[in-house]
Structures are given as structure tokens and as C-alpha cells.
Amino acid sequence: MAQQYYQKEIETMSAEEMRKLQSEKLVKQVKHVYDNVPYYRNLMDEKGVRPEDIHGIEDLHKLPFLSKADLRDAYPYGLLAKPLEDCVRIQSTSGTTGRRVVAFYTQKDIDLWEDCCARAIMAAGGTKADVCQVAYGYGLFTGGPGLNGGSHRVGCLTLPMSSGNTERQIQFMMDLKASILCCTPSYAAYIGETLKEQGYGPDDIPLKAGIFGAEPWTEEMRRGIEETLGIKAYDIYGLTETSGPGVAFECSEQTGMHINEDHFYAEIIDPETGEVLPEGSKGELVFTSLDKEAFPLLRYRTRDICVLSRKKCSCGRTLVKMAKPMGRTDDMLIIRGVNVFPSQIETVLLNEGYQPNYQIVVDRVKNTDTFEVNVEMPPEKFTDKVSDILTMEKSLANALKAMLGINPAVHLVAPKTIARSEGKAVRVVDKRKLV
């Protein structure tokens, strides 16, 4: 099959032309942010840099970083760069202390985001003749809306299924001959296992490709999904803070994800010093939104650890590639596509009258993440009456779900039974083999 592009001129642009385009956009973007975002203007002033000091990409290092803490401090409108009446949508994800990350979009922002997702779909072999089943969650989560819009841009018949209701997913997939599946990799694996249980083999399933992201997954998991569904499985990367899925996407070579660098400029930095590292170095990924209007983040620290490469790609795209993230510089967990921070759990425990003596246990069983929270009962709450313990566990699980947006299995244990190491509990036990 001949390689397909959604915007070939950009996707195959020379490095020199791309850098010129990026520099032109950066100069305009810095002025836009400085003029319209007092929060970031103050950061620039503190660092002694002004818009006229930025002449191109070579000057990007002069600008201050933004972090998740800045998003929390500026919530909800402090980083908005356009009047609210110019914004047409928000998307959101959870924050570290219950304050959500709220990203704003003008119509132009949505158009550019959907273009990025369309590039991903066409890199996976999608055309207007395809039926694209979008089984990411819709609503505030970016997965569903992003791939839905990208599918429309390509001209696919779009099945806006959202997540869950697997029986219905399979019915529509088989009846409407869905050829591209978009969802989390763990849900794709679950759909595959369900189809297998129903007696379907790879040759019976109409799918040819899948675009899977929002959670970490291994090469072993990829091969398993490909074998069960009879497809080629493509990775996709994004952050609500920068727009959503489509910041980077995988091509048929499957050796990393092409970054849509006409919209998002990527740097790799030393997470300790902030020093920009040369190509091929392993470090923290930093993104600058070059043309986002409503919520343009400059030098946003993703906390993802990865490597960038400009090695020639067999697909013909010249867009720089990022490796699958190899870990994080913070303590965030991604569980079933949801961001979970231990600090969120501590906040709930304290609010509910518990001490922050707990342990998070995450595993992956039959390709689905399991999420348990073991919590020590304080002496004043301690009881051995099973009905009382079950009532307290249910109440705490509901409080955690309200904070996290995901349902944990809560187990209350006796005081001082969670193992300490040098007086400090091991907070997270992640049994998933993700690397």
C-alpha cells in the first residue's frame, strides 16, 4: 500500500523549511502570550526576557518553563490568552490536588487539533472509504473528541461509540464493518479477548488498523493486540495541556511517533538542571505550542522521559520522532487512561479522617489495569466487625472516585500493618510490566 499523507507538504517538509516556519510562529506566539497572559508575562519579566529578545527557535531556551504547578496556580483562567467569548470549548483532565487542568480552545485551535488527528489516521492507512470506530471516552476527556474530529477530517464514516458497553461495540464493529479502532490499548485488548471468546478469529474481524494511546503499553501488548484482532496497532501521544491526542503519532515503521512539529516544538532537557540536551539524549520532554490561540503553553514540562530522533523514516515523513515515554520525573500514575497522583489520595484520606498511611497497588490482569488502595485504619476507627469495615471501605472508595474519576478497590487494614522502609511507607507498587 502506497504511503498516504493528510498534509504531505508539511509532513515531508525539509528540516530547514520547518525550522523557518517554527521560528516565524514562535516570534508571533511569544508576543501573543506576553501581551495577553499576565501570569506568563510576569515569569518572563522575572527572567529578564522580552518578546523582542526572541528572534527564532534558537532563542527558545531564553524563555521560562511552565509546569503543572503553574497550571494549578493559574486555574481556571490565569493562562487564557483569548477573550472568553472567542473560546468555543474546554477539555479537562485531573490535577495533582483535585484542581483540574482546564484547556481552552478557539475554533481555530480545534481545527488544527483535528488536522493533527487526521494525520495520525491517514498514517495508519485511513481514507474516506474507512469506517472509524472511536471507543475513547467522550466528554471532558480529549480522546473521543480528538479522534472523532480527525476521522471527520479524513472523511471516514465515524462511529462515536465512546468507551464501554463492549457487546454493543462488537455489534457495531461487525455489522458496520469498522476498519479502524481508536481506544486505549487495554480496552482494545479486552475487545480482542471478548471477540475470541465469541468464536471470532482475526480473519473474521473487519478491522485493519488501530490507534491506541492515553496509557502506557508494551511491545508485547502491541503484538498480542495485533494477533488477536488481525490488525496493525499504532501508538498516539498527546496531552490535554497542549490539545490532546495527535501531538505525535506513529507511522507504519512503528519505531517512534512523529511529532507534529509545525504546531508543537519539542525539546529534551535535563530534568535536574533544565539544560537543553542534544538530539539522541534521554531526558524530559518539553513542548511549546507554536500556534495555539486560547491556551498557548510555552516550554511546558511534560514530566515524560524520552528520546528524540531525526533518523530518516521509511514512511517519507521528515517530522522528528519521539520514543515511547520511558518513565516520568514525577509520581504520576496512568491507570486505565486516567492520571492518578498519590497526593490526590492523601488529600481524600485526610478529608475523610484517615492518616496518610496507605499503599497503591496497580497491576494488569487480562490486559486491564487493576487499582487497589490499602489504607491503615487509625486507632480510633479500628474495628474487626466485617459489616463496619465494608461500610467504611465503600464510603472511602466513593470519595476517592469523586476525586480521581476512577473507581479503586479499597482495603482497610489494621494500624501499622503497611510495611515501612526507614520509617516511610512504600506508597506505590506498580506490578505492570510497562517497559
Side-chain angles (χ1 to χ4, degrees):
M1 183 184 71
Q3 183 58 54
Q4 298 167 161
Y5 308 96
Y6 178 68
Q7 293 167 315
K8 184 175 182 180
E9 183 180 347
I10 293 169
E11 294 175 61
T12 61
M13 186 177 280
S14 72
E16 295 75 21
E17 289 176 303
M18 180 61 74
R19 192 170 180 87
K20 183 171 181 284
L21 177 63
Q22 290 170 328
S23 291
E24 290 170 358
K25 287 187 173 185
L26 179 65
V27 170
K28 292 178 184 175
Q29 187 72 300
V30 171
K31 186 174 189 321
H32 171 56
V33 171
Y34 190 86
D35 289 347
N36 295 291
V37 184
Y39 187 96
Y40 197 76
R41 180 166 64 243
N42 291 337
L43 291 179
M44 286 180 64
D45 289 345
E46 286 172 14
K47 199 167 181 185
V49 61
R50 294 183 58 79
E52 51 266 31
D53 299 324
I54 308 301
H55 304 286
I57 288 297
E58 67 278 5
D59 295 321
L60 184 62
H61 68 95
K62 298 176 183 177
L63 295 171
F65 292 111
L66 279 173
S67 70
K68 201 143 211 165
D70 292 303
L71 272 60
R72 184 174 67 241
D73 293 344
Y75 173 91
Y77 294 124
L79 289 170
L80 187 61
K82 279 283 190 178
L84 210 53
E85 56 264 32
D86 291 347
C87 300
V88 297
R89 192 195 298 175
I90 68 156
Q91 302 287 163
S92 179
T93 186
S94 63
T96 54
T97 60
R99 276 193 173 181
R100 303 186 68 88
V101 172
V102 177
F104 299 84
Y105 301 74
T106 63
Q107 187 57 52
K108 182 184 175 186
D109 292 334
I110 290 173
D111 292 343
L112 294 179
W113 176 24
E114 291 180 350
D115 283 344
C116 290
C117 290
R119 292 180 192 177
I121 291 170
M122 291 198 70
T127 71
K128 64 187 299 183
D130 281 292
V131 178
C132 185
Q133 183 162 337
V134 183
Y136 285 109
Y138 280 66
L140 290 172
F141 177 58
T142 55
L147 271 302
N148 189 93
S151 176
H152 279 228
R153 294 266 169 180
V154 173
C156 303
L157 175 65
T158 307
L159 309 184
M161 301 295 296
S162 196
S163 55
N165 200 332
T166 305
E167 294 299 320
R168 187 176 65 185
Q169 299 275 1
I170 289 173
Q171 181 190 342
F172 273 80
M173 179 186 296
M174 303 305 286
D175 291 351
L176 294 172
K177 307 291 186 237
S179 48
I180 299 173
L181 175 64
C182 305
C183 62
T184 63
S186 58
Y187 192 49
Y190 181 73
I191 289 174
E193 289 302 315
T194 306
L195 281 161
K196 191 175 180 180
E197 289 169 4
Q198 293 180 355
Y200 293 110
D203 293 340
D204 305 315
I205 300 168
L207 297 173
K208 68 177 184 181
I211 300 173
F212 309 130
E215 65 186 14
W217 54 310
T218 61
E219 287 302 310
E220 290 77 16
M221 190 172 182
R222 185 209 297 267
R223 300 308 164 212
I225 292 169
E226 289 184 333
E227 288 171 13
T228 305
L229 293 176
I231 64 171
K232 191 153 185 169
Y234 296 82
D235 208 346
I236 191 168
Y237 176 90
L239 304 150
T240 300
E241 297 93 318
T242 52
S243 68
V247 171
F249 62 90
E250 207 166 37
C251 66
S252 56
E253 194 174 274
Q254 294 181 314
T255 56
M257 290 170 277
H258 290 287
I259 295 172
N260 284 310
E261 55 180 332
D262 55 322
H263 301 307
F264 309 102
Y265 186 82
E267 302 171 273
I268 295 291
I269 65 165
D270 182 316
E272 299 296 326
T273 67
E275 176 193 1
V276 179
L277 301 176
E279 181 191 324
S281 302
K282 182 177 174 181
E284 182 181 346
L285 182 62
V286 173
F287 276 119
T288 292
S289 301
L290 293 172
D291 45 17
K292 201 163 182 219
E293 294 183 329
F295 198 67
L297 301 186
L298 305 183
R299 304 198 82 197
Y300 179 69
R301 298 184 62 160
T302 67
R303 299 297 181 184
D304 283 327
I305 298 294
C306 80
V307 175
L308 299 180
S309 171
R310 288 198 175 275
K311 287 180 183 174
K312 188 175 181 181
C313 185
S314 60
C315 78
R317 289 177 180 81
T318 52
L319 300 170
V320 67
K321 274 186 182 176
M322 60 174 280
K324 269 180 179 287
M326 303 164 185
R328 293 183 58 81
T329 64
D330 61 12
D331 58 357
M332 186 182 87
L333 293 162
I334 302 176
I335 305 171
R336 296 178 221 146
V338 175
N339 298 348
V340 174
F341 292 88
S343 56
Q344 293 173 304
I345 291 172
E346 291 184 15
T347 298
V348 172
L349 293 180
L350 292 168
N351 288 343
E352 296 295 314
Y354 295 84
Q355 294 301 311
N357 298 320
Y358 66 95
Q359 189 172 72
I360 303 165
V361 182
V362 187
D363 204 348
R364 188 161 281 172
V365 179
K366 293 184 178 179
N367 294 308
T368 300
D369 289 342
T370 62
F371 175 30
E372 300 178 11
V373 182
N374 300 322
V375 181
E376 288 185 4
M377 286 184 279
E380 64 273 16
K381 285 181 178 279
F382 181 69
T383 177
D384 57 4
K385 191 175 178 182
V386 174
S387 61
D388 289 348
I389 292 173
L390 290 174
T391 298
M392 289 192 293
E393 286 177 343
K394 184 177 181 182
S395 175
L396 187 52
N398 288 339
L400 286 167
K401 185 181 180 183
M403 167 69 87
L404 304 172
I406 187 172
N407 205 11
V410 172
H411 305 293
L412 292 177
V413 299
K416 298 184 180 178
T417 54
I418 291 177
R420 264 72 163 172
S421 175
E422 297 179 0
K424 191 174 182 181
V426 178
R427 294 292 184 218
V428 178
V429 178
D430 193 340
K431 298 178 180 179
R432 299 172 296 179
K433 295 180 174 63
L434 299 176
V435 291

